[in-house]
Structures are given as structure tokens and as C-alpha cells.
Amino acid sequence: MTALVFLALLLIGLPVGLILCLAALAYIVQSGNPLLLDSYPLKMFTSLDNFGLLAIPLFILIGELMNAAGITTQLVRLAAACVGALRGGLAYINLLANMMVASILGSATAQIAMMAKVMVPEMEKAGYDRAFATGLTAFGGLLGPIIPPSIVFVVYAVLAQVAVSDMLMAGILPGLLLTLLFVLTVAVLGWRQGFPAGQGLPWRDRLAALRTALPMLLIPAAVIGMILGGYGSPTEAAAVGALLAALVGIFHTRSLRLRDLPGILLRTGLSSALVLFLVAGAGVFSWVLIFGQVPQMAAGWIQDVATTPMAFMLLVLVVLLLVGTVIDGIPGLIMVVPILLPIATDVYGIHPLHFGVVVSVNLILGLLSPPVGVGLFVAASVAGVSPLRVVAVTLPFYAVACAALVVLALVPWFSLALLP
């Protein structure tokens, strides 16, 4: 009954957080146990009673302040100064700027929408196909939830009860790996298709771009440095990052005005409430799953199919890629982690941080996977092109991302090398 209620509500199109809450209620009604109903609100509350979750609204606030302060445009200019002279320079600029923005924003869909507005028109003016520019921007946005700070990683850390700082550190090498592979893909495509030659800048202009962008680069440097150096928790680092973003916007770019702050805080509150409601719904949903011994039943079935950790990871890749095509990253994470994590750690001995990186990247890649591909639709909508054309011209990037996902799944070193 619970599964039918869940699927029916999903098909109707209700918000995933509400679906999780109603599916949990359906199980309680089916079980006929009134004590479960008494504990229902308590479980929702205790799911949010975690200091690490405070990092989520602060990371969202950093992104909102960055947008209002015009920091994105300055980072694009810095990327142009670094790699603009190469053949296919704007394509490299797109990826490099996405990596810089990812180290501040941490949200794939927000980053894709923002960068599509900035980069697609510029690339089209330079002679690039509009659909290719849109798809490249979408895949560059894939870096957002991987390179820290990452809201997806914070949510996973809370669900898996691991240190948020360790989870964020685990995403650094995978994010750099994806960036490198995308750069190599641009190089190959540029050589084969004859991308437009870039325009180099004099060293004086390059240094000027660096001086202008340096205060903005202090934001991710401070956030990541505090986390890696052990000088503060991710929540405290995010608070410092938000303060720096506000100061840069007010005194450096002078694009952020005090009268903008109420609107920024309102948008931050609404976005944070959406994510935290998902976490609360996940708390009660996970609780009824454990009460109904769903993880144990799933473990029995999976052990019959996958006899080794490698086989288990490959099975997870296939299943989650399908889940990610129809469900966004954080809701998908909230649904699958309570079921799969105990199996991964207890049955197959997989490190929870390694599993978290693979699951998160897997679900994020689903944002760019047909038939739904929310990220592709966001980019195509902003750029005004057909999503089917975007899919067709960016298949090489999708293939490279899938290959990187397999490497991350089978080689734990990328996820665990930087951990203390």
C-alpha cells in the first residue's frame, strides 16, 4: 500500500517532501499501530535537530549575495584572461568559470540558469552553435554540487551521520577530475570541429582582471580553507563566506545595496525551507522504512544479484542513473540513502564517504540525463533552444561523465585521498 501511495503521488506531481510525509502516514495507517502516529511529529523535528544543517541556508545565502553583487561576471572575466587565447577559448572559459562559481554556489540548477544567461549569448556571438554552448554550460553546472561547498553533500552527511567537513573534502578530487575530463573533451572537439580561435589579452589586462577578481576568490578560499584547515565547522565557514560575499558586494563591486538585503534573505529563506522540509520528510520516511525492515529485504535481493562490492557499485550506478532522470538530486538522495547505505557499509564494507560521493554524482548526472533531465531543460529554457538539440550535441560530455562516474565508483582513492 505504501509503495502504491508513493507512486501515485509522484505521478500526480506533488512536491517530493510532501510525498515522503504522506507515504509515511500511509504506512502508519496500514500498520494499525497508533504509537507510530504519536512519534510522527517528533521524528520530523529530530530529523532537523542537527547543527550541520545550518550550513544549508548559509551556502544558499552565499549564492544569493554573489548573484546580487555581480561576482559571476567578474569571475568570467578572470577565466577569459586565463584561457581566452586558446582555440575554443570561450568553451574553456565556460568550464573554468563554472568551476570557480561552483566553489561558491554549490547548486547545480541555480548555477546552470545563471551561467546560461552569461555564457550562451557570448559563445553564440563568437561563432559557436547555440545548442552546444547551452549543453556545455549545463555540464559545467554539474560541477556545482560536487566541488565544495555542496548542499547535496551536506544533506548526505546528515543522512549518513558522517562529518560534513569530511564529506565536503571527499568531493574535491572528483570535482577536479570531472573538470579535467571536460577540458580534454573540449580540446578534442575543438580540434575536430574547428572551434573559433580565442582572443588573447595583454599581460596588463590579465593582471588587472586578477586584481579585480582577487577579493572574490577569497570567498571560496576562506570557506574551503577553514574546513580543510580545521579552523571551523562547515557551518561557521559558510557564515564567514556569506559575510565576505556581502562585504565584496558592498565595498568592492558596489553592486550590492542594503535595500537589496530583505529580498535576498527572503529568497534564501524560501529555498532553505524547501530543502529542510525535504530533510524532515526524509526523516519520517526513513523511520518507517527501517520499522518495516525494507533495508533488510533489499539487502537480501541485492546480495543475490551482486556478489562482490564492485558488482554492487555497478548495480547502484545503473539504478540511480534511472532514478536521477526523473527525480532531482536532493530528493533522490533522501529516498535512496536510508535503503542503500546500510547495505553498502554493513554487507559490502564500502566506506560511507566513498559511497556518498558516488551516489551524489550519480544522481546529479541524472539532472542531465534524458528523458527528463531537469538541468538540460533549465539550460534550454534560459537559452531558448530545443532540449533535444542540446542532448544531441553534448553526447560526448555525457559519455565522459558516465566514464568518470564508473572510475569514481571503482577507485575509492579519488574520494578518500584527502581525508585525514
Side-chain angles (χ1 to χ4, degrees):
M1 176 182 172
T2 305
L4 292 176
V5 169
F6 183 90
L7 291 175
L9 295 176
L10 189 64
L11 291 174
I12 291 172
L14 288 181
V16 175
L18 188 59
I19 291 174
L20 294 172
C21 294
L22 293 176
L25 278 175
Y27 176 83
I28 293 172
V29 171
Q30 181 185 9
S31 68
N33 189 341
L35 295 178
L36 293 179
L37 191 59
D38 293 338
S39 302
Y40 186 94
L42 179 62
K43 282 295 178 181
M44 290 194 72
F45 173 78
T46 55
S47 299
L48 298 176
D49 188 18
N50 189 304
F51 179 71
L53 288 174
L54 284 176
I56 291 176
L58 290 171
F59 283 144
I60 294 174
L61 178 59
I62 291 176
E64 291 288 346
L65 290 169
M66 186 183 75
N67 286 338
I71 293 176
T72 305
T73 304
Q74 296 297 333
L75 292 179
V76 171
R77 290 176 181 171
L78 176 60
C82 294
V83 296
L86 300 175
R87 174 168 291 279
L90 273 177
Y92 293 111
I93 291 168
N94 195 328
L95 289 175
L96 185 58
N98 263 299
M99 187 178 71
M100 293 179 183
V101 174
S103 66
I104 302 175
L105 195 55
S107 170
T109 50
Q111 181 169 328
I112 289 170
M114 181 173 57
M115 294 301 293
K117 293 177 184 178
V118 176
M119 291 305 305
V120 173
E122 293 298 321
M123 291 185 70
E124 188 178 29
K125 288 178 187 176
Y128 291 85
D129 178 68
R130 189 175 185 84
F132 173 80
T134 303
L136 178 64
T137 304
F139 276 93
L142 181 65
L143 304 173
I146 302 173
I147 297 177
S150 167
I151 297 173
V152 173
F153 281 179
V154 172
V155 172
Y156 174 84
V158 172
L159 293 174
Q161 297 183 354
V162 297
V164 175
S165 57
D166 289 346
M167 192 64 224
L168 294 177
M169 289 172 62
I172 294 176
L173 289 182
L176 294 177
L177 173 65
L178 270 172
T179 304
L180 176 61
L181 291 176
F182 286 164
V183 166
L184 292 176
T185 304
V186 168
V188 172
L189 292 176
W191 174 69
R192 293 185 60 185
Q193 300 179 14
F195 284 170
Q199 294 182 353
L201 294 176
W203 279 104
R204 179 184 301 176
D205 293 341
R206 296 185 185 186
L207 292 175
L210 179 60
R211 283 195 300 269
T212 302
L214 192 59
M216 305 166 195
L217 295 177
L218 290 176
I219 301 171
V223 172
I224 298 173
M226 284 186 66
I227 295 172
L228 296 183
Y231 299 109
S233 68
T235 301
E236 293 163 341
V240 170
L243 177 61
L244 289 175
L247 293 176
V248 168
I250 294 172
F251 298 108
H252 183 63
T253 66
R254 301 183 185 274
S255 299
L256 181 63
R257 297 175 295 273
L258 291 178
R259 65 173 178 267
D260 297 330
L261 291 179
I264 290 172
L265 294 174
L266 177 61
R267 291 192 298 273
T268 300
L270 292 174
S271 299
S272 302
L274 179 62
V275 176
L276 293 175
F277 182 68
L278 280 170
V279 175
V284 292
F285 190 70
S286 304
W287 170 55
V288 299
L289 287 179
I290 294 170
F291 191 86
Q293 297 187 329
V294 172
Q296 291 87 334
M297 291 186 288
W301 177 80
I302 290 174
Q303 282 182 281
D304 292 336
V305 177
T307 57
T308 65
M310 183 180 296
F312 169 75
M313 291 298 278
L314 293 176
L315 177 64
V316 167
L317 294 186
V318 174
V319 172
L320 294 192
L321 197 58
L322 295 175
V323 171
T325 61
V326 294
I327 299 178
D328 202 353
I330 292 177
L333 196 70
I334 288 170
M335 288 170 52
V336 302
V337 167
I339 298 174
L340 294 179
L341 180 62
I343 302 172
T345 55
D346 299 339
V347 177
Y348 294 99
I350 297 169
H351 197 289
L353 295 176
H354 173 217
F355 187 72
V357 168
V358 173
V359 169
S360 300
V361 176
N362 207 161
L363 289 170
I364 294 163
L365 183 57
L367 290 173
L368 304 176
S369 302
V372 179
V374 175
L376 287 176
F377 278 93
V378 168
S381 175
V382 171
V385 296
S386 166
L388 292 178
R389 283 196 61 217
V390 175
V391 171
V393 299
T394 54
L395 284 177
F397 292 96
Y398 187 76
V400 165
C402 289
L405 185 58
V406 173
V407 171
L408 293 176
L410 301 183
V411 185
W413 180 86
F414 286 100
S415 304
L416 306 178
L418 297 182
L419 297 179

